[in-house]
């Protein structure tokens, strides 16, 4: 079975500062990993995903994440925060190679941007 | 359609009533998922359809919850004898290749009073 743990339910960073949102996963098979973003009163939007190949994955809005198998991590980063990045971010995992496997979400991290 | 459509966007119902929530997935997406998101929590898996059949319904909390997808496109989530604890945002998602990432709808906010 797969699971994810997101460290920190709330993270605050200053505008222009580095954004780092932490995610650790547990999976009995090679995982597929995802980050989703949810803006207030909106649905979930896929930011980026890792399936196979390059471990550094670039997504939309300047975000990127690195799959580190040895650390079972998939942390999300952005070099310079914008006010518009304020949202809830969800890390998620599914079992690679199993076309019927569902995506399991973490509890989310709310990102606050300080002016 | 261009995206996943969920109706209604908001539903208020009285405890004990029956409700139906509708999801219209992206055209051609054979995989359809229902999730439930309570306040301050991540989406919680309910049920997954591949075509017309429920491939995995392990997340349905009890027998008051039921979902159908009779023609392999539109799906309806049905909740009988609603309870206040059923209040949440119900999210639908669809995918062409399961497990590669979904496209989510905006959700239906269900409030049971």
């Amino acid at each position: 079975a797969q699971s994810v743990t997101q460290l920190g339910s709330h993270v605050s960073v200053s505008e222009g500062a580095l954004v780092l949102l932490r995610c650790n996963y547990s999976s009995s098979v090679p995982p597929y990993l995802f980050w989703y973003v949810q803006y207030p009163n909106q649905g979930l939007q896929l930011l980026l995903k890792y399936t196979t190949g390059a471990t550094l994955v670039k997504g939309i809005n300047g975000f990127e994440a690195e799959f580190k198998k040895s650390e079972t991590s998939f942390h999300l980063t952005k070099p310079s925060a914008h006010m518009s990045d304020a949202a809830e971010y969800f890390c998620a995992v599914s079992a690679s190679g199993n076309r019927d496997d569902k995506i399991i979400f973490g509890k989310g991290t709310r990102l606050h941007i300080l002016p | 359609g261009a995206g996943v459509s969920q109706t209604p966007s908001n539903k208020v119902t009285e405890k004990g009533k029956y409700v139906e929530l509708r999801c219209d997935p992206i055209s051609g997406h054979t995989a359809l998922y229902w999730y439930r998101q309570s306040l301050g929590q991540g989406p919680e898996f309910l049920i997954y359809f591949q075509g017309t059949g429920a491939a995995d319904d392990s997340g349905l909390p009890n027998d008051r919850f039921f979902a159908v997808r009779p023609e392999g496109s539109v799906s309806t989530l049905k909740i009988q004898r609603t309870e206040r604890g059923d209040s949440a945002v119900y999210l639908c998602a669809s995918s062409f290749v399961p497990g590669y990432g979904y496209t989510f709808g905006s959700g239906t906010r269900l409030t049971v009073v």
Side-chain angles (χ1 to χ4, degrees), chain A residues 32 34 36 38 41-44 46 49 51 88 90 94 98-108, chain B residues 30 33 35 37 40-43 45 48 50 55-56 58 91 98-106 109:
Chain A
Y32 289 164
F34 310 85
Y36 280 82
Q38 188 173 35
N41 299 315
Q42 294 188 26
L44 290 152
L46 181 65
K49 62 184 178 187
T51 53
E88 186 99 26
F90 295 94
S94 71
N98 182 346
R99 66 186 300 269
D100 287 331
D101 196 54
K102 55 192 173 285
I103 293 178
I104 302 300
F105 288 83
K107 293 187 175 183
Chain B
T30 57
Y33 303 80
Y35 283 77
Q37 187 175 19
Q41 299 294 316
F45 170 78
Y48 156 51
Q50 181 60 250
D56 184 349
S58 62
L91 296 167
Y100 267 54
Y102 313 153
T103 301
F104 278 87
S106 296
R109 182 176 298 277

Side-chain angles (χ1 to χ4, degrees), chain B residues 7-22:
Chain B
T7 55
S9 56
N10 281 284
K11 176 70 175 179
V12 181
T13 191
E14 293 181 348
K15 179 176 177 295
K17 298 290 188 181
Y18 167 83
V19 296
E20 290 189 352
L21 311 180
R22 175 188 167 105

Side-chain angles (χ1 to χ4, degrees), chain A residues 6-54:
Chain A
Q6 292 185 242
L7 302 176
S9 58
H10 292 265
V11 169
S12 295
V13 302
S14 298
E15 191 174 19
L18 171 72
V19 175
L20 171 61
L21 304 183
R22 299 178 187 274
C23 172
N24 288 90
Y25 70 90
S26 173
S27 179
S28 56
V29 298
Y32 289 164
L33 294 160
F34 310 85
W35 277 98
Y36 280 82
V37 61
Q38 188 173 35
Y39 298 102
N41 299 315
Q42 294 188 26
L44 290 152
Q45 180 181 4
L46 181 65
L47 265 182
L48 50 80
K49 62 184 178 187
Y50 167 79
T51 53
T52 58

Side-chain angles (χ1 to χ4, degrees), chain B residues 40-72:
Chain B
Q41 299 294 316
E44 172 192 7
F45 170 78
L46 295 177
I47 186 170
Y48 156 51
F49 287 91
Q50 181 60 250
T52 60
D56 184 349
D57 65 357
S58 62
L60 295 177
N62 52 59
D63 61 6
R64 295 187 297 105
F65 288 74
F66 189 72
V68 296
R69 195 186 185 199
E71 298 178 356

